[in-house]
Amino acid sequence: MRYSGFKVFTEGLFGNKGWRPAWRDPAPKAEYDAIIIGGGGHGLSTAYYLAKNHGLTNIAVLEKGYLGGGNIGRNTTIVRANYFLPGNSEFYSHSLKLWEGLEADLNYNVMHSQRGLINLFHSDGQRDAFARRGNAMVNQGDDAELLDRDGVRALLPYLDFEQTRFPIYGGLLHRRGGTARHDAVAWGYARGADQRGVDLIQNCEVTGIDVENGRVTGVQTTRGAIRAKKVGIVVAGRSSQVAAMAGLRLPIESHILQAFVTEGLKPVIDHVISFGMGHFYISQSDKGGLVFGGDLDFYASYAARGNLPMVEHVMEAGMTLMPMIGRAKVLRSWGGIMDMSPDGSPVIDRTGIDGLYIDCGWNYGGFKAVPASGWCMAHLMATDRPHEVARRFTLNRFATGHLLDEEGTGSQHNLH
Ligand SMILES: Cc1cc2nc3c(=O)[nH]c(=O)nc-3n(C[C@H](O)[C@H](O)[C@H](O)COP(=O)(O)OP(=O)(O)OC[C@H]3O[C@@H](n4cnc5c(N)ncnc54)[C@H](O)[C@@H]3O)c2cc1C
C-alpha cells in the first residue's frame, strides 16, 4: 500500500477502513540467509538496504522487545554532517545525502526538517576550532557558515547575550542540519524492509550465537534456534553483551544518556542550538515541546533511566543560555543506553568469526548515522568488503592505535 495525500483523502471519505498494518508479524523460519540482531534504526536500515541494494530478501530482523523501543525512539533527533576528521566526515556526509532523499525512498513521512544547526562558541580558541571544522565541512562538500555575535543575535535573539561568564562570540551555522521524527525513521525502514520480504520478528531475544569451526551457523533465541549463513550484531547499548555470546570482547562501554521534553509551546525555537560551554543542545518538536539533552550520566550502566545530578546540570546549562525556558514545564525525561567507543567513532566491521559482522560504537550520535550505517553494514554483509565511506570504522584500530578521535579527549569512553 502506497501512502499519499490522495490515499489519506479517499480513506477519510470511506471511514478509514482500508488501512492495513504497516508490516507483517511472521513466525521465525528455521533458516535465513542473513539475520540481523536488533530492531533499532541501524538494524532495520541494514535489513532494508540488504534487500534493496543487494537483492537479499531471505532475511530476518530479531528484536527482543518491539521495533523502535530502543535508542532510535529515545534520542533528541538531531541530524547533521559537521564532522571534522577524514573517516567520519565522508561517512556523515553520505548519511545526510541519504536523509535528503529518505522520505521519497521509503514513501514515509519521517518529518525530516533541515531547520539549521548552530553550534555556539564562547572564546577565541573555540572560534578558531569551529572555523577549522567549518572549512573541513565545506571541503567535504557540505555547508557551513561562521556567524559573528550579531549574526547569531539576528537568528536567536532570545539567547542571553548579556551574561558575562560564557559570553556568546558567534556560532557555526550548518543550514542542512536539523531534526527528524525518530520513531518514524524506525517505522519507515521497517515498512520498507517488510515490503521487500524481510521478516521482522519482535519479542525474540537472541540468547546465544552458534559458531562451528570458526564460522557462524545461527542463533539461539527465546523463540527457538534459527540457522543463518550470516549474522549481523546491531544492538547499540547491548553490543558487548551480545558479542560476548560469540566469545568476543569489545572495546565498548555502555553509558546512560538522558533527554527531556517540555509541555507544548507556540513556535519559539526555529533551529537546533548547541551551547559551547556546557553540554546542552535544544530544538523544538513539531508538536511544540522543547526537546533537549546534555552529557552522559558519567558511569557505565544498563539502566535505561538517568539520575538527578545530570538533570540539574542540564537545566543549569539551559538556563544559562536562554533563561526564557525557565518558564516552561518539563513533562518527561528518559534515558537510553549508549554504546560508547574509546575514540567516539563507530565500528562497522567483520569479526574474527566468518559470517559474523558487527555495527556498534555509535556513542550519542548514531541517529543521524542510521541511513549510512545501514547502507554500509548491508554492503559489508553482502560483499564481505567495507564500503568506501566506512573503511576506517574497523575494530582493529583500537589495537593499532589509528583512532578517529573527533573530540580529542583521548581514549576514555565517557568523554566522547
Ligand atoms: C537521550 C538520547 C539522545 C540522543 N540524541 C541523539 C541525537 O540528537 N542525534 C544523534 O545522531 N544520535 C542521538 N542519540 C544516539 C542514537 O539514538 C543512537 O546512537 C542510535 O539510535 C543507536 O542505534 P539503534 O537505533 O540501532 O539503537 P537501538 O534503537 O537501541 O536498537 C538496538 C536494538 O537491539 C535490541 N536488542 C538488544 N539486545 C538484543 C538481543 N539480545 N536480542 C534481540 N534484540 C536485542 C534492543 O532491544 C534495541 O531495540 C541519542 C541517544 C539517546 C539515548
Side-chain angles (χ1 to χ4, degrees):
M1 190 204 312
R2 271 193 76 73
Y3 294 158
S4 65
F6 181 70
K7 177 81 180 150
V8 171
F9 179 70
T10 51
E11 282 299 328
L13 286 183
F14 298 107
N16 283 303
K17 296 198 178 99
W19 300 111
R20 291 195 302 278
W23 52 83
R24 297 163 296 131
D25 184 21
K29 291 194 239 166
E31 181 164 6
Y32 289 94
D33 291 335
I35 280 176
I36 310 297
I37 311 175
H42 293 245
L44 291 166
S45 65
T46 299
Y48 175 77
Y49 291 121
L50 269 173
K52 181 175 181 234
N53 295 356
H54 303 282
L56 256 81
T57 51
N58 185 26
I59 308 173
V61 175
L62 308 182
E63 166 55 47
K64 74 173 179 174
Y66 60 92
L67 298 181
N71 291 334
I72 187 67
R74 291 167 177 266
N75 59 68
T76 41
T77 77
I78 301 170
V79 173
R80 56 187 166 90
N82 61 351
Y83 281 70
F84 176 64
L85 295 178
N88 280 329
S89 67
E90 63 265 36
F91 175 83
Y92 288 101
S93 181
H94 180 57
S95 205
L96 188 52
K97 289 186 190 106
L98 291 174
W99 275 107
E100 287 168 338
L102 194 60
E103 292 173 331
D105 184 24
L106 296 178
N107 176 230
Y108 204 90
N109 181 9
V110 301
M111 296 165 75
H112 182 215
S113 159
Q114 294 185 293
R115 58 186 65 183
L117 163 76
I118 300 173
N119 291 115
L120 299 172
F121 47 80
H122 309 265
S123 66
D124 290 334
Q126 267 193 333
R127 183 198 288 117
D128 289 351
F130 273 114
R132 210 171 156 214
R133 180 174 295 268
N135 286 335
M137 290 159 65
V138 170
N139 285 341
Q140 175 59 42
D142 294 313
D143 69 283
E145 290 163 48
L146 204 65
L147 303 177
D148 61 13
R149 183 179 163 90
D150 289 341
V152 172
R153 197 196 287 265
L155 292 176
L156 315 175
Y158 47 82
L159 297 186
D160 185 355
F161 287 89
E162 308 310 321
Q163 58 111 347
T164 49
R165 186 167 177 214
F166 303 123
I168 296 167
Y169 276 43
L172 186 66
L173 170 63
H174 173 36
R175 288 189 192 272
R176 286 164 64 234
T179 59
R181 174 157 175 188
H182 46 17
D183 35 21
V185 175
W187 301 332
Y189 273 115
R191 176 170 167 269
D194 174 87
Q195 282 174 343
R196 284 172 170 76
V198 174
D199 281 357
L200 306 174
I201 302 173
Q202 305 182 67
N203 299 311
C204 182
E205 179 170 358
V206 171
T207 53
I209 297 177
D210 299 330
V211 179
E212 284 171 27
N213 301 322
R215 178 156 201 99
V216 76
T217 56
V219 295
Q220 301 292 321
T221 80
T222 47
R223 295 177 69 175
I226 308 175
R227 292 191 302 281
K229 298 180 186 73
K230 295 185 174 183
V231 174
I233 302 174
V234 195
V235 293
R238 300 280 174 181
S239 296
S240 302
Q241 291 175 326
V242 174
M245 295 175 193
L248 304 174
R249 188 151 180 263
L250 296 183
I252 298 288
E253 284 184 11
S254 291
H255 287 256
I256 306 157
L257 181 69
Q258 301 191 59
F260 307 87
V261 65
T262 69
E263 61 190 330
L265 304 172
K266 290 265 170 66
V268 56
I269 296 182
D270 298 332
H271 305 83
V272 182
I273 305 163
S274 86
F275 184 30
M277 290 308 276
H279 220 127
F280 177 80
Y281 37 90
I282 187 165
S283 65
Q284 186 166 16
S285 80
D286 292 355
K287 281 195 291 186
L290 304 181
V291 180
F292 55 99
D295 211 340
L296 296 171
D297 265 36
F298 288 127
Y299 56 91
S301 171
Y302 288 109
R305 65 185 172 84
N307 287 289
L308 290 172
M310 189 48 66
V311 177
E312 189 176 6
H313 177 87
V314 171
M315 303 299 163
E316 276 173 6
M319 288 296 291
T320 305
L321 189 61
M322 45 179 82
M324 69 165 184
I325 70 169
R327 308 239 347 237
K329 295 186 181 63
V330 173
L331 287 191
R332 291 181 285 127
S333 69
W334 60 89
I337 311 166
M338 316 311 315
D339 40 331
M340 305 299 295
S341 68
D343 62 357
S345 294
V347 172
I348 302 178
D349 203 0
R350 292 179 290 248
T351 63
I353 297 167
D354 286 343
L356 184 65
Y357 307 85
I358 187 139
D359 175 308
C360 67
W362 293 102
N363 298 269
Y364 37 65
F367 177 62
K368 62 182 149 334
V370 163
S373 166
W375 186 282
C376 295
M377 181 67 166
H379 183 277
L380 177 72
M381 289 185 69
T383 65
D384 236 16
R385 290 192 314 275
H387 188 278
E388 180 62 16
V389 299
R391 69 189 186 289
R392 299 202 198 194
F393 296 163
T394 58
L395 257 179
N396 79 353
R397 72 177 190 270
F398 303 107
T400 62
H402 292 89
L403 302 183
L404 272 174
D405 186 349
E406 194 80 24
E407 303 278 330
T409 49
S411 185
Q412 190 169 331
H413 301 74
N414 62 353
L415 293 185
H416 292 286

